[in-house]
Amino acid sequence: MNQKEVSSILKIAENFSIEGNPVAFKAVGSGHINDTFQIFTDKLHQPNYLLQRINHYVFKDVEALMQNIQIVTEHIRTKLIAEGADVVDKRVLTVIPARDRSLYYRDENTDYWRAYILIEPTKSYDVLETEHQAKEGGRAFGRFQGQLTDLDSNKLKYTIPNFCNIDYRLENFHQAIQQNKALRKDEVQEEIEYIVQREAQMRAILQMAERGEIPLRITHNDTKFNNILLDENDKALCVIDLDTVMPGYVAYDFGDAIRTIINHAAEDEPDLSKITLNIPLFTAYTDGYFENAHHFLSTHEIRSLIEGVLLFPYMQAVRFLTDYLDGDIYYKVQHKTHNLQRTRAQLSLAFEVENRREELNDIIHTMAAKHLMDIR
Ligand code: ADP
Ligand code: GN1
Ligand code: MG
């Protein structure tokens, strides 16, 4: 970041309805899409803020995006207040409007920005370590889905249409192969073959939906573990990164969360021998999830969860490889082969979960039974 950009971050923060004057900032987070900054003000005992540059290439309709987030956070806030929850502002994101009351601010470079209350002290983990963290993660996403079961989905726009639709992702993938924009096709033949061989079996969730077995609910659709804020005692406080909250299937959220939780290694681990399954963390997450989700999940939805576990490392690999073939236009990358490295790591994970499908499914069923769910 150059000096001009540094001074401009604080200036941008001034355009939001914040208390006090912004005096310092720090870039944070390891997200692949937005740019995130903590903003500190000169007002003691008032909140600090979280400023984000919204990736406008990814989110084409920022107005609709921010409306969705406002609707979702207000729905959750109303529930928390009705329940008598403590520290409500730490349990749900609070959007800070711009000084003109708009939910975002557009600067002179036509970049889009938004601000939230900075929830602190908190931590978010790219790779988690303890069963306690995993269980808290399951509780957090189970609670989040539960809080939204009675929100009318017609109120929400699709911020990215077909976001978790594997048919759509594979269509894009085949188009990228055909176009071969970055001239990288020849070096990824093995990966392409692996993906193509499994296309049909990855339609399991869509087939359940086509048969009318599983309902569309409002889901988060980006349930990476680092999208949960935990407090100093590793208790989950708040689900964040609400850009993709849209109608979806519960197996999507379960599968994407497990993708990051079950992996002993990082999402982009270059040493594939390190990509092994962490069964205790998987079990703990599942336990926490059912604790808060058992009251609304149907039998078919519970049966669909394993399909989400199989789908998400695969679909993520399809998305990373599509971007690699396109020349790295979607995800932030740190080096030239980063998307390929990510693809290989995710395919290794997909291979591991595929081989242990029965064992994982048994754990899901055991945990469902523990929470008195009828899955016959
Ligand atoms: P991205 O879309 O780039 O993943 P996120 O919204 O997930 O962006 O934010 C990136 C990181 O910033 C998070 O992982 C978390 O560590 C931190 N963060 C985001 N929102 C808040 C908040 N309101 N309070 C404290 N930290 C936050
Ligand atoms: C992106 O923004 P972030 O890093 O939480 C992506 C997710 C992917 C994830 C892979 C809008 O999430 O769909 O699963 O990277 N978000 C978008 O790490 O595409
Ligand atoms: Mg994130």
Side-chain angles (χ1 to χ4, degrees), residues 33-61:
I33 305 294
N34 298 314
D35 297 314
T36 306
F37 306 91
Q38 292 177 340
I39 302 285
F40 304 99
T41 77
D42 56 2
K43 269 249 162 129
L44 285 179
H45 313 299
Q46 292 292 335
N48 289 308
Y49 299 92
L50 198 287
L51 182 69
Q52 273 184 329
R53 178 169 24 215
I54 303 169
N55 184 326
H56 182 41
Y57 172 79
V58 169
F59 297 103
K60 311 281 185 214
D61 187 348

PDB file of all heavy atoms in Angstrom, residues 33-61:
ATOM      1  N   ILE A  33     -11.411 -11.857  -0.901  1.00  0.00           N
ATOM      2  CA  ILE A  33     -12.275 -11.029  -1.744  1.00  0.00           C
ATOM      3  C   ILE A  33     -12.190  -9.538  -1.392  1.00  0.00           C
ATOM      4  O   ILE A  33     -11.855  -8.725  -2.234  1.00  0.00           O
ATOM      5  CB  ILE A  33     -13.747 -11.510  -1.636  1.00  0.00           C
ATOM      6  CG1 ILE A  33     -13.863 -13.011  -1.979  1.00  0.00           C
ATOM      7  CG2 ILE A  33     -14.670 -10.662  -2.501  1.00  0.00           C
ATOM      8  CD1 ILE A  33     -13.549 -13.392  -3.403  1.00  0.00           C
ATOM      9  N   ASN A  34     -12.509  -9.209  -0.151  1.00  0.00           N
ATOM     10  CA  ASN A  34     -12.559  -7.796   0.239  1.00  0.00           C
ATOM     11  C   ASN A  34     -11.241  -7.344   0.876  1.00  0.00           C
ATOM     12  O   ASN A  34     -10.415  -8.176   1.234  1.00  0.00           O
ATOM     13  CB  ASN A  34     -13.712  -7.574   1.232  1.00  0.00           C
ATOM     14  CG  ASN A  34     -15.054  -7.906   0.606  1.00  0.00           C
ATOM     15  OD1 ASN A  34     -15.344  -7.507  -0.519  1.00  0.00           O
ATOM     16  ND2 ASN A  34     -15.891  -8.654   1.327  1.00  0.00           N
ATOM     17  N   ASP A  35     -11.061  -6.026   1.034  1.00  0.00           N
ATOM     18  CA  ASP A  35      -9.912  -5.502   1.786  1.00  0.00           C
ATOM     19  C   ASP A  35     -10.456  -4.936   3.088  1.00  0.00           C
ATOM     20  O   ASP A  35     -11.421  -4.155   3.078  1.00  0.00           O
ATOM     21  CB  ASP A  35      -9.217  -4.377   1.006  1.00  0.00           C
ATOM     22  CG  ASP A  35      -8.644  -4.896  -0.296  1.00  0.00           C
ATOM     23  OD1 ASP A  35      -8.011  -5.956  -0.270  1.00  0.00           O
ATOM     24  OD2 ASP A  35      -8.850  -4.252  -1.337  1.00  0.00           O
ATOM     25  N   THR A  36      -9.835  -5.310   4.197  1.00  0.00           N
ATOM     26  CA  THR A  36     -10.415  -5.013   5.509  1.00  0.00           C
ATOM     27  C   THR A  36      -9.430  -4.241   6.380  1.00  0.00           C
ATOM     28  O   THR A  36      -8.248  -4.597   6.454  1.00  0.00           O
ATOM     29  CB  THR A  36     -10.804  -6.345   6.207  1.00  0.00           C
ATOM     30  OG1 THR A  36     -11.648  -7.087   5.327  1.00  0.00           O
ATOM     31  CG2 THR A  36     -11.529  -6.112   7.504  1.00  0.00           C
ATOM     32  N   PHE A  37      -9.925  -3.211   7.065  1.00  0.00           N
ATOM     33  CA  PHE A  37      -9.082  -2.368   7.924  1.00  0.00           C
ATOM     34  C   PHE A  37      -9.784  -2.121   9.264  1.00  0.00           C
ATOM     35  O   PHE A  37     -10.973  -1.798   9.285  1.00  0.00           O
ATOM     36  CB  PHE A  37      -8.828  -1.003   7.264  1.00  0.00           C
ATOM     37  CG  PHE A  37      -8.252  -1.121   5.878  1.00  0.00           C
ATOM     38  CD1 PHE A  37      -9.087  -1.171   4.767  1.00  0.00           C
ATOM     39  CD2 PHE A  37      -6.877  -1.203   5.696  1.00  0.00           C
ATOM     40  CE1 PHE A  37      -8.554  -1.302   3.484  1.00  0.00           C
ATOM     41  CE2 PHE A  37      -6.341  -1.334   4.418  1.00  0.00           C
ATOM     42  CZ  PHE A  37      -7.181  -1.385   3.301  1.00  0.00           C
ATOM     43  N   GLN A  38      -9.008  -2.253  10.340  1.00  0.00           N
ATOM     44  CA  GLN A  38      -9.529  -1.803  11.636  1.00  0.00           C
ATOM     45  C   GLN A  38      -9.251  -0.309  11.725  1.00  0.00           C
ATOM     46  O   GLN A  38      -8.151   0.133  11.382  1.00  0.00           O
ATOM     47  CB  GLN A  38      -8.790  -2.508  12.774  1.00  0.00           C
ATOM     48  CG  GLN A  38      -9.076  -3.989  12.854  1.00  0.00           C
ATOM     49  CD  GLN A  38      -8.251  -4.669  13.955  1.00  0.00           C
ATOM     50  OE1 GLN A  38      -7.238  -4.148  14.386  1.00  0.00           O
ATOM     51  NE2 GLN A  38      -8.707  -5.837  14.370  1.00  0.00           N
ATOM     52  N   ILE A  39     -10.234   0.437  12.192  1.00  0.00           N
ATOM     53  CA  ILE A  39     -10.077   1.896  12.310  1.00  0.00           C
ATOM     54  C   ILE A  39     -10.196   2.264  13.789  1.00  0.00           C
ATOM     55  O   ILE A  39     -11.191   1.921  14.435  1.00  0.00           O
ATOM     56  CB  ILE A  39     -11.190   2.636  11.523  1.00  0.00           C
ATOM     57  CG1 ILE A  39     -11.169   2.226  10.048  1.00  0.00           C
ATOM     58  CG2 ILE A  39     -11.091   4.150  11.719  1.00  0.00           C
ATOM     59  CD1 ILE A  39     -10.051   2.812   9.232  1.00  0.00           C
ATOM     60  N   PHE A  40      -9.182   2.952  14.293  1.00  0.00           N
ATOM     61  CA  PHE A  40      -9.184   3.365  15.700  1.00  0.00           C
ATOM     62  C   PHE A  40      -9.442   4.863  15.789  1.00  0.00           C
ATOM     63  O   PHE A  40      -8.891   5.640  15.004  1.00  0.00           O
ATOM     64  CB  PHE A  40      -7.849   2.998  16.350  1.00  0.00           C
ATOM     65  CG  PHE A  40      -7.540   1.534  16.209  1.00  0.00           C
ATOM     66  CD1 PHE A  40      -6.674   1.091  15.208  1.00  0.00           C
ATOM     67  CD2 PHE A  40      -8.150   0.589  17.022  1.00  0.00           C
ATOM     68  CE1 PHE A  40      -6.412  -0.268  15.043  1.00  0.00           C
ATOM     69  CE2 PHE A  40      -7.899  -0.770  16.864  1.00  0.00           C
ATOM     70  CZ  PHE A  40      -7.024  -1.203  15.871  1.00  0.00           C
ATOM     71  N   THR A  41     -10.285   5.250  16.743  1.00  0.00           N
ATOM     72  CA  THR A  41     -10.624   6.672  16.862  1.00  0.00           C
ATOM     73  C   THR A  41     -10.018   7.260  18.140  1.00  0.00           C
ATOM     74  O   THR A  41      -9.490   6.534  18.985  1.00  0.00           O
ATOM     75  CB  THR A  41     -12.156   6.890  16.905  1.00  0.00           C
ATOM     76  OG1 THR A  41     -12.618   6.537  18.203  1.00  0.00           O
ATOM     77  CG2 THR A  41     -12.867   6.094  15.832  1.00  0.00           C
ATOM     78  N   ASP A  42     -10.137   8.580  18.266  1.00  0.00           N
ATOM     79  CA  ASP A  42      -9.602   9.250  19.455  1.00  0.00           C
ATOM     80  C   ASP A  42     -10.599   9.253  20.609  1.00  0.00           C
ATOM     81  O   ASP A  42     -10.350   9.834  21.649  1.00  0.00           O
ATOM     82  CB  ASP A  42      -9.192  10.689  19.092  1.00  0.00           C
ATOM     83  CG  ASP A  42     -10.349  11.482  18.492  1.00  0.00           C
ATOM     84  OD1 ASP A  42     -11.470  10.934  18.399  1.00  0.00           O
ATOM     85  OD2 ASP A  42     -10.130  12.648  18.104  1.00  0.00           O
ATOM     86  N   LYS A  43     -11.735   8.605  20.444  1.00  0.00           N
ATOM     87  CA  LYS A  43     -12.752   8.613  21.512  1.00  0.00           C
ATOM     88  C   LYS A  43     -12.612   7.371  22.380  1.00  0.00           C
ATOM     89  O   LYS A  43     -12.880   6.249  21.918  1.00  0.00           O
ATOM     90  CB  LYS A  43     -14.147   8.591  20.875  1.00  0.00           C
ATOM     91  CG  LYS A  43     -14.723   9.954  20.626  1.00  0.00           C
ATOM     92  CD  LYS A  43     -15.898  10.197  21.567  1.00  0.00           C
ATOM     93  CE  LYS A  43     -16.213  11.644  21.661  1.00  0.00           C
ATOM     94  NZ  LYS A  43     -17.588  11.973  21.444  1.00  0.00           N
ATOM     95  N   LEU A  44     -12.208   7.572  23.619  1.00  0.00           N
ATOM     96  CA  LEU A  44     -12.124   6.440  24.533  1.00  0.00           C
ATOM     97  C   LEU A  44     -13.551   5.976  24.877  1.00  0.00           C
ATOM     98  O   LEU A  44     -14.486   6.757  24.816  1.00  0.00           O
ATOM     99  CB  LEU A  44     -11.420   6.863  25.823  1.00  0.00           C
ATOM    100  CG  LEU A  44      -9.904   7.031  25.734  1.00  0.00           C
ATOM    101  CD1 LEU A  44      -9.359   7.487  27.083  1.00  0.00           C
ATOM    102  CD2 LEU A  44      -9.225   5.743  25.282  1.00  0.00           C
ATOM    103  N   HIS A  45     -13.672   4.717  25.231  1.00  0.00           N
ATOM    104  CA  HIS A  45     -14.956   4.144  25.652  1.00  0.00           C
ATOM    105  C   HIS A  45     -16.027   4.187  24.561  1.00  0.00           C
ATOM    106  O   HIS A  45     -17.213   4.104  24.854  1.00  0.00           O
ATOM    107  CB  HIS A  45     -15.495   4.817  26.932  1.00  0.00           C
ATOM    108  CG  HIS A  45     -14.444   4.942  27.980  1.00  0.00           C
ATOM    109  ND1 HIS A  45     -13.818   3.845  28.519  1.00  0.00           N
ATOM    110  CD2 HIS A  45     -13.877   6.030  28.562  1.00  0.00           C
ATOM    111  CE1 HIS A  45     -12.909   4.243  29.394  1.00  0.00           C
ATOM    112  NE2 HIS A  45     -12.929   5.564  29.441  1.00  0.00           N
ATOM    113  N   GLN A  46     -15.620   4.404  23.320  1.00  0.00           N
ATOM    114  CA  GLN A  46     -16.564   4.305  22.201  1.00  0.00           C
ATOM    115  C   GLN A  46     -16.049   3.198  21.300  1.00  0.00           C
ATOM    116  O   GLN A  46     -14.857   2.876  21.341  1.00  0.00           O
ATOM    117  CB  GLN A  46     -16.600   5.624  21.410  1.00  0.00           C
ATOM    118  CG  GLN A  46     -17.218   6.780  22.174  1.00  0.00           C
ATOM    119  CD  GLN A  46     -18.701   6.589  22.402  1.00  0.00           C
ATOM    120  OE1 GLN A  46     -19.366   5.896  21.657  1.00  0.00           O
ATOM    121  NE2 GLN A  46     -19.221   7.198  23.468  1.00  0.00           N
ATOM    122  N   PRO A  47     -16.905   2.637  20.475  1.00  0.00           N
ATOM    123  CA  PRO A  47     -16.395   1.542  19.652  1.00  0.00           C
ATOM    124  C   PRO A  47     -15.360   2.015  18.632  1.00  0.00           C
ATOM    125  O   PRO A  47     -15.359   3.179  18.233  1.00  0.00           O
ATOM    126  CB  PRO A  47     -17.647   1.032  18.924  1.00  0.00           C
ATOM    127  CG  PRO A  47     -18.657   2.090  19.036  1.00  0.00           C
ATOM    128  CD  PRO A  47     -18.329   2.902  20.241  1.00  0.00           C
ATOM    129  N   ASN A  48     -14.488   1.097  18.228  1.00  0.00           N
ATOM    130  CA  ASN A  48     -13.674   1.302  17.035  1.00  0.00           C
ATOM    131  C   ASN A  48     -14.446   0.691  15.868  1.00  0.00           C
ATOM    132  O   ASN A  48     -15.539   0.133  16.066  1.00  0.00           O
ATOM    133  CB  ASN A  48     -12.300   0.667  17.216  1.00  0.00           C
ATOM    134  CG  ASN A  48     -11.474   1.450  18.225  1.00  0.00           C
ATOM    135  OD1 ASN A  48     -11.328   2.668  18.103  1.00  0.00           O
ATOM    136  ND2 ASN A  48     -10.956   0.764  19.221  1.00  0.00           N
ATOM    137  N   TYR A  49     -13.873   0.774  14.670  1.00  0.00           N
ATOM    138  CA  TYR A  49     -14.666   0.392  13.487  1.00  0.00           C
ATOM    139  C   TYR A  49     -13.907  -0.535  12.559  1.00  0.00           C
ATOM    140  O   TYR A  49     -12.675  -0.655  12.627  1.00  0.00           O
ATOM    141  CB  TYR A  49     -15.116   1.657  12.740  1.00  0.00           C
ATOM    142  CG  TYR A  49     -15.977   2.518  13.617  1.00  0.00           C
ATOM    143  CD1 TYR A  49     -15.427   3.530  14.399  1.00  0.00           C
ATOM    144  CD2 TYR A  49     -17.344   2.272  13.729  1.00  0.00           C
ATOM    145  CE1 TYR A  49     -16.208   4.289  15.255  1.00  0.00           C
ATOM    146  CE2 TYR A  49     -18.143   3.035  14.583  1.00  0.00           C
ATOM    147  CZ  TYR A  49     -17.567   4.035  15.339  1.00  0.00           C
ATOM    148  OH  TYR A  49     -18.344   4.775  16.192  1.00  0.00           O
ATOM    149  N   LEU A  50     -14.659  -1.160  11.707  1.00  0.00           N
ATOM    150  CA  LEU A  50     -14.110  -2.076  10.714  1.00  0.00           C
ATOM    151  C   LEU A  50     -14.514  -1.507   9.359  1.00  0.00           C
ATOM    152  O   LEU A  50     -15.704  -1.355   9.090  1.00  0.00           O
ATOM    153  CB  LEU A  50     -14.747  -3.451  10.974  1.00  0.00           C
ATOM    154  CG  LEU A  50     -14.179  -4.764  10.440  1.00  0.00           C
ATOM    155  CD1 LEU A  50     -14.397  -4.919   8.958  1.00  0.00           C
ATOM    156  CD2 LEU A  50     -12.718  -4.967  10.823  1.00  0.00           C
ATOM    157  N   LEU A  51     -13.527  -1.150   8.575  1.00  0.00           N
ATOM    158  CA  LEU A  51     -13.809  -0.548   7.266  1.00  0.00           C
ATOM    159  C   LEU A  51     -13.458  -1.575   6.191  1.00  0.00           C
ATOM    160  O   LEU A  51     -12.396  -2.196   6.250  1.00  0.00           O
ATOM    161  CB  LEU A  51     -12.930   0.694   7.117  1.00  0.00           C
ATOM    162  CG  LEU A  51     -13.076   1.519   5.849  1.00  0.00           C
ATOM    163  CD1 LEU A  51     -14.437   2.241   5.814  1.00  0.00           C
ATOM    164  CD2 LEU A  51     -11.941   2.556   5.758  1.00  0.00           C
ATOM    165  N   GLN A  52     -14.349  -1.744   5.232  1.00  0.00           N
ATOM    166  CA  GLN A  52     -14.066  -2.726   4.166  1.00  0.00           C
ATOM    167  C   GLN A  52     -14.275  -2.121   2.794  1.00  0.00           C
ATOM    168  O   GLN A  52     -15.281  -1.467   2.536  1.00  0.00           O
ATOM    169  CB  GLN A  52     -15.001  -3.933   4.290  1.00  0.00           C
ATOM    170  CG  GLN A  52     -14.449  -4.987   5.222  1.00  0.00           C
ATOM    171  CD  GLN A  52     -15.291  -6.231   5.289  1.00  0.00           C
ATOM    172  OE1 GLN A  52     -16.504  -6.173   5.133  1.00  0.00           O
ATOM    173  NE2 GLN A  52     -14.660  -7.364   5.534  1.00  0.00           N
ATOM    174  N   ARG A  53     -13.298  -2.397   1.914  1.00  0.00           N
ATOM    175  CA  ARG A  53     -13.497  -2.078   0.503  1.00  0.00           C
ATOM    176  C   ARG A  53     -14.195  -3.299  -0.100  1.00  0.00           C
ATOM    177  O   ARG A  53     -13.698  -4.414  -0.045  1.00  0.00           O
ATOM    178  CB  ARG A  53     -12.158  -1.848  -0.190  1.00  0.00           C
ATOM    179  CG  ARG A  53     -12.352  -1.564  -1.665  1.00  0.00           C
ATOM    180  CD  ARG A  53     -11.108  -1.069  -2.373  1.00  0.00           C
ATOM    181  NE  ARG A  53      -9.874  -1.459  -1.732  1.00  0.00           N
ATOM    182  CZ  ARG A  53      -8.783  -0.678  -1.702  1.00  0.00           C
ATOM    183  NH1 ARG A  53      -8.781   0.491  -2.270  1.00  0.00           N
ATOM    184  NH2 ARG A  53      -7.674  -1.103  -1.119  1.00  0.00           N
ATOM    185  N   ILE A  54     -15.388  -3.060  -0.613  1.00  0.00           N
ATOM    186  CA  ILE A  54     -16.190  -4.162  -1.157  1.00  0.00           C
ATOM    187  C   ILE A  54     -15.701  -4.455  -2.572  1.00  0.00           C
ATOM    188  O   ILE A  54     -15.552  -3.539  -3.384  1.00  0.00           O
ATOM    189  CB  ILE A  54     -17.684  -3.771  -1.195  1.00  0.00           C
ATOM    190  CG1 ILE A  54     -18.164  -3.376   0.214  1.00  0.00           C
ATOM    191  CG2 ILE A  54     -18.527  -4.899  -1.772  1.00  0.00           C
ATOM    192  CD1 ILE A  54     -19.537  -2.726   0.242  1.00  0.00           C
ATOM    193  N   ASN A  55     -15.461  -5.715  -2.844  1.00  0.00           N
ATOM    194  CA  ASN A  55     -14.973  -6.099  -4.173  1.00  0.00           C
ATOM    195  C   ASN A  55     -16.120  -6.000  -5.187  1.00  0.00           C
ATOM    196  O   ASN A  55     -17.018  -6.840  -5.234  1.00  0.00           O
ATOM    197  CB  ASN A  55     -14.427  -7.530  -4.093  1.00  0.00           C
ATOM    198  CG  ASN A  55     -13.812  -7.975  -5.393  1.00  0.00           C
ATOM    199  OD1 ASN A  55     -14.263  -7.604  -6.465  1.00  0.00           O
ATOM    200  ND2 ASN A  55     -12.774  -8.780  -5.277  1.00  0.00           N
ATOM    201  N   HIS A  56     -16.040  -4.934  -5.959  1.00  0.00           N
ATOM    202  CA  HIS A  56     -17.150  -4.626  -6.856  1.00  0.00           C
ATOM    203  C   HIS A  56     -17.136  -5.501  -8.114  1.00  0.00           C
ATOM    204  O   HIS A  56     -18.146  -5.646  -8.806  1.00  0.00           O
ATOM    205  CB  HIS A  56     -17.062  -3.132  -7.226  1.00  0.00           C
ATOM    206  CG  HIS A  56     -18.155  -2.647  -8.093  1.00  0.00           C
ATOM    207  ND1 HIS A  56     -19.470  -3.026  -7.920  1.00  0.00           N
ATOM    208  CD2 HIS A  56     -18.150  -1.810  -9.149  1.00  0.00           C
ATOM    209  CE1 HIS A  56     -20.210  -2.447  -8.847  1.00  0.00           C
ATOM    210  NE2 HIS A  56     -19.430  -1.712  -9.612  1.00  0.00           N
ATOM    211  N   TYR A  57     -16.002  -6.117  -8.391  1.00  0.00           N
ATOM    212  CA  TYR A  57     -15.953  -7.060  -9.513  1.00  0.00           C
ATOM    213  C   TYR A  57     -16.767  -8.316  -9.143  1.00  0.00           C
ATOM    214  O   TYR A  57     -17.489  -8.868  -9.965  1.00  0.00           O
ATOM    215  CB  TYR A  57     -14.488  -7.443  -9.818  1.00  0.00           C
ATOM    216  CG  TYR A  57     -14.380  -8.555 -10.823  1.00  0.00           C
ATOM    217  CD1 TYR A  57     -14.531  -8.291 -12.193  1.00  0.00           C
ATOM    218  CD2 TYR A  57     -14.154  -9.867 -10.417  1.00  0.00           C
ATOM    219  CE1 TYR A  57     -14.453  -9.319 -13.117  1.00  0.00           C
ATOM    220  CE2 TYR A  57     -14.070 -10.897 -11.335  1.00  0.00           C
ATOM    221  CZ  TYR A  57     -14.220 -10.617 -12.686  1.00  0.00           C
ATOM    222  OH  TYR A  57     -14.155 -11.637 -13.599  1.00  0.00           O
ATOM    223  N   VAL A  58     -16.672  -8.707  -7.869  1.00  0.00           N
ATOM    224  CA  VAL A  58     -17.370  -9.914  -7.393  1.00  0.00           C
ATOM    225  C   VAL A  58     -18.836  -9.595  -7.082  1.00  0.00           C
ATOM    226  O   VAL A  58     -19.737 -10.373  -7.420  1.00  0.00           O
ATOM    227  CB  VAL A  58     -16.632 -10.472  -6.149  1.00  0.00           C
ATOM    228  CG1 VAL A  58     -17.448 -11.549  -5.459  1.00  0.00           C
ATOM    229  CG2 VAL A  58     -15.255 -11.001  -6.550  1.00  0.00           C
ATOM    230  N   PHE A  59     -19.068  -8.476  -6.409  1.00  0.00           N
ATOM    231  CA  PHE A  59     -20.434  -8.097  -6.029  1.00  0.00           C
ATOM    232  C   PHE A  59     -20.889  -6.950  -6.919  1.00  0.00           C
ATOM    233  O   PHE A  59     -20.541  -5.785  -6.688  1.00  0.00           O
ATOM    234  CB  PHE A  59     -20.492  -7.716  -4.546  1.00  0.00           C
ATOM    235  CG  PHE A  59     -20.132  -8.865  -3.659  1.00  0.00           C
ATOM    236  CD1 PHE A  59     -18.887  -8.941  -3.065  1.00  0.00           C
ATOM    237  CD2 PHE A  59     -21.028  -9.911  -3.456  1.00  0.00           C
ATOM    238  CE1 PHE A  59     -18.534 -10.024  -2.269  1.00  0.00           C
ATOM    239  CE2 PHE A  59     -20.689 -11.003  -2.666  1.00  0.00           C
ATOM    240  CZ  PHE A  59     -19.446 -11.054  -2.071  1.00  0.00           C
ATOM    241  N   LYS A  60     -21.661  -7.286  -7.932  1.00  0.00           N
ATOM    242  CA  LYS A  60     -22.002  -6.306  -8.966  1.00  0.00           C
ATOM    243  C   LYS A  60     -23.014  -5.272  -8.453  1.00  0.00           C
ATOM    244  O   LYS A  60     -23.007  -4.136  -8.879  1.00  0.00           O
ATOM    245  CB  LYS A  60     -22.620  -6.998 -10.198  1.00  0.00           C
ATOM    246  CG  LYS A  60     -21.823  -8.187 -10.706  1.00  0.00           C
ATOM    247  CD  LYS A  60     -20.636  -7.761 -11.525  1.00  0.00           C
ATOM    248  CE  LYS A  60     -19.920  -8.959 -12.140  1.00  0.00           C
ATOM    249  NZ  LYS A  60     -18.480  -8.805 -12.259  1.00  0.00           N
ATOM    250  N   ASP A  61     -23.907  -5.702  -7.549  1.00  0.00           N
ATOM    251  CA  ASP A  61     -24.968  -4.814  -7.081  1.00  0.00           C
ATOM    252  C   ASP A  61     -24.759  -4.527  -5.584  1.00  0.00           C
ATOM    253  O   ASP A  61     -25.311  -5.216  -4.718  1.00  0.00           O
ATOM    254  CB  ASP A  61     -26.325  -5.494  -7.336  1.00  0.00           C
ATOM    255  CG  ASP A  61     -27.489  -4.573  -7.027  1.00  0.00           C
ATOM    256  OD1 ASP A  61     -27.280  -3.510  -6.410  1.00  0.00           O
ATOM    257  OD2 ASP A  61     -28.622  -4.929  -7.395  1.00  0.00           O
TER     258      ASP A  61
END
